[in-house]
Amino acid sequence: MHIVIMGCGRVGSALAQALEEQGHTIAVVDRDPTAFRRLGSSFGGRRVTGIGFDQDTLREAGIEDAGAFAAVSSGDNSNIIAARVAREMFGIENVAARIYDPRRAEVYQRLGIPTVATVRWTADQMLRRLLPSGAEPLWRDPTGGVQLAEVHTSAAWVGHRISRLQDETGVRVAFLTRLGEAILPSSQTVLQEGDLVHVMMRTDEIDRVEAAFAKGPGEEGGR
């Protein structure tokens, strides 16, 4: 897909290079043209000089054809404004904003903008938010037969209980990350928008579990 990144600092440039290596087309926006030096001579994407929340600048970067947008400049306010413009004005679904102040991150999360607290998270986590698919292994037992993984969950599961998710997918939900904090759910816990679901499962069932989580409850792909 085409991905627009606002901010060409260390995180933005690393993110752009990693995404390009995965075969995506990239446009990087920064108000300082000298910042693009961090991308290196091999970078084949667009370099757009301008303000990242300006609509004309975003159009020049190809936002109208983009599937994801990352705001990783050095300013919290600029990042959240740009993220909201990308989502609300251009309808980009996969949006992430880098936030330095963790106390403000929860507020922005409630506005529907996934945030990444800079102190605790890095470009790898930004990749996970921009390309939410499949399972991301977090731990494996010594035999490799069982693993803990964060599994991308379809929005169709929002509003349903953890017990139903477990029954239909055959996994055990170990914990949720909600608004930046880990919680231990009960069978009555209801999934909310933005929840990250971490499950224990057999390694040989990854493909089936990914498919079941990607579909809605009661749809083909569960147990």
Side-chain angles (χ1 to χ4, degrees):
M1 70 172 72
H2 181 59
I3 299 172
V4 178
I5 299 171
M6 183 188 85
C8 196
R10 285 177 292 181
V11 173
S13 58
L15 188 60
Q17 291 164 345
L19 287 167
E20 188 174 57
E21 288 176 1
Q22 292 185 17
H24 302 285
T25 62
I26 311 299
V28 182
V29 178
D30 200 292
R31 66 177 64 195
D32 180 6
T34 65
F36 298 127
R37 296 173 182 171
R38 294 188 177 94
L39 295 170
S41 58
S42 63
F43 179 70
R46 305 183 204 176
R47 299 167 173 84
V48 179
T49 302
I51 298 173
F53 49 82
D54 177 75
Q55 293 184 40
D56 289 336
T57 299
L58 290 173
R59 288 191 180 93
E60 183 181 350
I63 193 70
E64 292 171 318
D65 299 317
F69 176 81
V72 291
S73 76
S74 60
D76 283 5
N77 290 336
S78 295
N79 287 342
I80 199 62
I81 291 172
R84 295 192 68 179
V85 168
R87 170 163 287 180
E88 297 169 14
M89 299 300 296
F90 294 101
I92 307 300
E93 293 185 4
N94 295 324
V95 173
R98 179 192 197 189
I99 302 298
Y100 282 86
D101 185 348
R103 294 171 299 180
R104 301 167 73 182
E106 180 175 339
V107 176
Y108 297 141
Q109 190 91 8
R110 292 183 184 277
L111 294 174
I113 304 295
T115 59
V116 176
T118 304
V119 174
R120 295 169 296 179
W121 300 69
T122 59
D124 286 341
Q125 290 296 322
M126 291 295 295
L127 282 170
R128 183 67 181 158
R129 299 300 178 271
L130 293 173
L131 306 173
S133 62
E136 179 71 11
L138 303 174
W139 173 86
R140 289 186 177 88
D141 80 298
T143 69
V146 176
Q147 69 174 265
L148 172 68
E150 176 191 327
V151 183
H152 172 60
T153 309
S154 167
W157 287 103
V158 171
H160 293 275
R161 293 179 179 177
I162 289 294
S163 57
R164 182 170 186 181
L165 178 65
Q166 293 183 143
D167 290 342
E168 294 195 17
T169 62
V171 301
R172 183 186 297 273
V173 176
F175 67 98
L176 303 176
T177 300
R178 179 173 293 171
L179 300 176
E181 295 186 0
I183 64 172
L184 296 175
S186 70
S187 61
Q188 302 302 307
T189 300
V190 174
L191 282 171
Q192 298 181 10
E193 185 177 0
D195 282 354
L196 303 180
V197 183
H198 308 268
V199 306
M200 295 297 298
M201 61 183 171
R202 290 184 55 84
T203 301
D204 59 7
E205 292 196 326
I206 291 177
D207 290 343
R208 183 191 63 76
V209 172
E210 287 181 353
F213 271 61
K215 299 179 184 296
E219 296 182 24
E220 183 180 355
R223 290 179 68 89

